[in-house]
Amino acid sequence: MDIAYLKEKCNQIRIDTLKEIHVAGSGHPGGSLSMTEIIVSLYYYKMKITPKNPLDPLRDRFVLSKGHAAPIYYAVLADKGFFDKELLWTLRKLHSPLQGHPDKKKLPGVDASTGSLGQGVSIATGMALAAKMQGNGVNVYAVLGDGELQEGLVWEAAMAAGHYKLDNLTVIVDNNGLQIDGSCDQVMSLLDIGKKYESFGFTVYDVKDGNDLEQVIEALDAPSYGKPKCIVAHTVKGKGVSFMENSVGWHGKGLNDEELNKALAELGGK
Amino acid sequence: MADLIATREAYGQAIAKLGEVNEKIVVMDADLSHATMTCYFADKFPDRFFNAGIAEANMTCMSVGFADAGFIPFVSTFAIFGTGRAYEMVRNSICYPHMNVKLAMTHAGISLGGDGGSHETIEDIALMRVLPGMTVLVPCDANETYKAVEAAAKIDGPVYIRLARMATKVFDDMPFEVGKANVLKDGKDAVIFACGTMVECAFEAAKKLAEDGLDVAIVNIHTIKPIDKDTIKTYAAKCKNVITLEEHSVIGGLGDAVAEVLLEEGGYRIKKLGVQDEFGQSGTPEELLKEYRLDPESVYQDIIKPELFMRVKNHRFTHGIITTVHFRG
């Protein structure tokens, strides 16, 4: 594992993500940036992916349950060669395969259409159960927002994953603490996320800094002891751009020219 | 009359049998397998049966995972929950990405009986047929259910199969082709387009109408979507007087599906018989069908009501509405 290389990747992916949202004029920068280290650890280190054969049945599956973070997902898929990088600049445009939320019918590399919160992790649970049944060694990874955990369906899925002992399923919570209307604690307290998942039969890893590649990777590599795994990654919303960090206002908002330039200057991009 | 068999029972038997020849079939249920009759499949293929517990939304999305892996999941629970509670999951996780999932839902309509209005869905056809890419099948008897299940497994995409709790007549074997309506009885004075449990009722009502000298055609619309426009247009043109009959709300169901087709032609008045924009309640199936005027006698009466459906002495029709009444005797 080359941490320096992965760090550089994170930076590049952040830059592409912000450029996408800038061109689109709308999108979700805050929750994209907070999960940068998570998605880069998965796509550049952990997962078995097959960009040349996006429907390879033996590939690992990734489900972006927090589908609004589509811009960073697309930046990674393009960089991995699932489609032409030029498509990134069509995000949210009419007829673009880069929909505001991921659409598997339109874009190669997208394993599940998501966007309506809670449904992605439930689909991922079904994928993991199907893979167990087939005994094909496929692993399934789902990334959820912390606000998303307010959806009851998330806990229906957790119950099923625990019941079926899906040790090929990893649920990663991008715990940046903020949602549209304010902090999660203000809107609807989540209390101890790890304890909740533990009680549903998961092996839980608490990652103190979810924007630290080494900590994320350590949790991804940690054993799951015959159970589904949950990684609670404490992240910073808008991570990497000073004026976006920990700001509710940057949940779902486009960047103007000036804001983009300022952000790129901080990230050392152009 | 042959023995009565509920379409849910026929479904349970059909899917268990189909499981023998098609190893891709998996079945999911939400703690109702002894009511939806997926228990037959579960007994036979325990490794391919998954109980989601009382969690219909999760069952719906999990089935997408099976479809993604190349399986053909049949998902069953009561229609009220499968199409209602989990509606947005059906829309966004199954239909939006056009996943190969079959929703075989039982206890549809008001005839389920004692459970009452909370459990009696009269909206499911409307909810399912509005979804792009969804095929909607409403088999009328055990034989048709078997064929609908077989056909659904062959379709690459989402299918909704509407099934009933109460035991109903088994008709002689009929051909079944998705999207092709079955003309069960020819006629010239009126046509009843019916589906599901109401096909038998249409026959009984037609017998009474025949005693009044009315020759009524009966068309079984087992596929609500894609609907058989040609047969509907042909029989409407031939019979002029159009009646639709369904154990569903008259809003958004078979009646409106037929009306949409005939709007393309114009000039028809359509009598929609079904549940008239109200909820169901507890009772025996027989009582409920009578209460909501879906028994043969009520259907007969509603068809011949002079203000709605009238017969001309000289059999001359104007624009589909018979203008003067002539009752025998």
Side-chain angles (χ1 to χ4, degrees), chain A residues 59 61 99 101-106 111 113 116 119 122-123 125-127 129-130 133-134 153 156-157 160 164, chain B residues 26 47-48 50-52 55-58 61-62 64-66 68-69 71 88-89 92-93 95-99:
Chain A
R59 75 196 188 278
R61 305 292 200 276
Q99 291 289 297
H101 295 82
D103 182 341
K104 80 187 286 270
K105 254 192 335 191
K106 293 196 165 88
D111 291 331
S113 294
S116 178
Q119 296 187 29
S122 178
I123 294 170
T125 304
M127 287 173 163
L129 184 53
M133 192 182 156
Q134 291 177 318
L153 176 52
E156 290 186 11
Y164 287 108
Chain B
V26 297
D47 296 342
R48 286 152 61 188
F50 300 93
N51 207 321
E56 296 80 10
N58 189 46
C61 291
M62 278 185 72
V64 173
F66 281 101
D68 172 78
F71 291 104
E88 201 236 303
M89 291 77 195
N92 272 328
S93 285
C95 289
Y96 184 56
H98 201 69
M99 299 306 291

Side-chain angles (χ1 to χ4, degrees), chain B residues 153-176:
Chain B
K154 286 183 187 148
I155 292 172
D156 183 18
V159 179
Y160 174 58
I161 306 176
R162 180 186 219 234
L163 303 161
R165 175 181 182 272
M166 72 169 173
T168 46
K169 179 183 169 173
V170 182
F171 292 94
D172 292 339
D173 208 20
M174 297 176 269
F176 182 86

Side-chain angles (χ1 to χ4, degrees), chain A residues 6 52 167 176 187 223 228:
Chain A
L6 293 180
K52 285 193 178 128
D167 59 2
N176 61 35
V187 176

